[in-house]
Amino acid sequence: MRKGIRYAIDYGEVRVGLAKSDIDAIMAVPVVTLKNDQDLITNILSRVNETGCLEIYVGLPKHLSGQIGIAAKKCLNFAKQLKKSLPSVSVRMLDERLTSSTASARLQESGVNTRGQKAMIDQVAAIELLEQALDFEKRNNLIPGIDLDEVK
């Protein structure tokens, strides 16, 4: 397993969840939920530059059929902007189908009602993405996700 902090981003039109791993890639922790506004990239950069970063995983919301729709295209555009701002960091796309529903189920299991989930769901979805990536790398000794330039 490669050493280095990884970040995961659950991108949404209104809110964006951010999670990060420890340097040994053992666990994922929530960082923040950000507003999707003109300061989004700057806010992400300040957190990434503060800790350093090996990779950033951005959730790609494909349709259940596997097709890329409007939401996925918006995520790809966001990921490209992020990559331009962080040229030395690898930005990889992760299939995020069902991530939000898994995050919602996790919150319900921990006693958070549906109303209370709104503020946390994006961070929990980012944690879910990051945990999937870390588990994949541990099991397969391969880099998770698809390089941004290879997404079709």
Side-chain angles (χ1 to χ4, degrees), residues 41-100:
I41 299 282
T42 303
N43 287 331
I44 292 171
L45 291 177
S46 69
R47 285 160 175 84
V48 170
N49 289 332
E50 189 175 280
T51 61
C53 180
L54 176 66
E55 281 169 347
I56 297 175
Y57 305 110
V58 178
L60 185 63
K62 293 181 178 180
H63 293 294
L64 288 178
S65 66
Q67 297 297 312
I68 291 179
I70 294 168
K73 288 178 184 175
K74 288 179 181 180
C75 277
L76 286 167
N77 287 335
F78 160 75
K80 289 174 185 174
Q81 290 174 1
L82 187 62
K83 179 66 180 169
K84 282 181 189 175
S85 300
L86 284 167
S88 63
V89 174
S90 173
V91 176
R92 301 187 63 83
M93 305 304 291
L94 290 177
D95 187 342
E96 73 163 30
R97 284 178 278 186
L98 305 176
T99 304
S100 291

Side-chain angles (χ1 to χ4, degrees), residues 11-16 34-40 78:
Y11 180 84
E13 285 192 53
V14 177
R15 291 178 311 276
V16 176
L34 299 167
K35 287 182 184 177
N36 188 347
D37 59 17
Q38 69 273 5
D39 296 326
L40 177 61
F78 160 75

Side-chain angles (χ1 to χ4, degrees), residues 115-128:
R115 268 195 178 151
Q117 290 183 11
K118 197 171 194 177
M120 293 185 266
I121 191 121
D122 302 293
Q123 287 180 51
V124 176
I127 291 169
E128 191 70 30

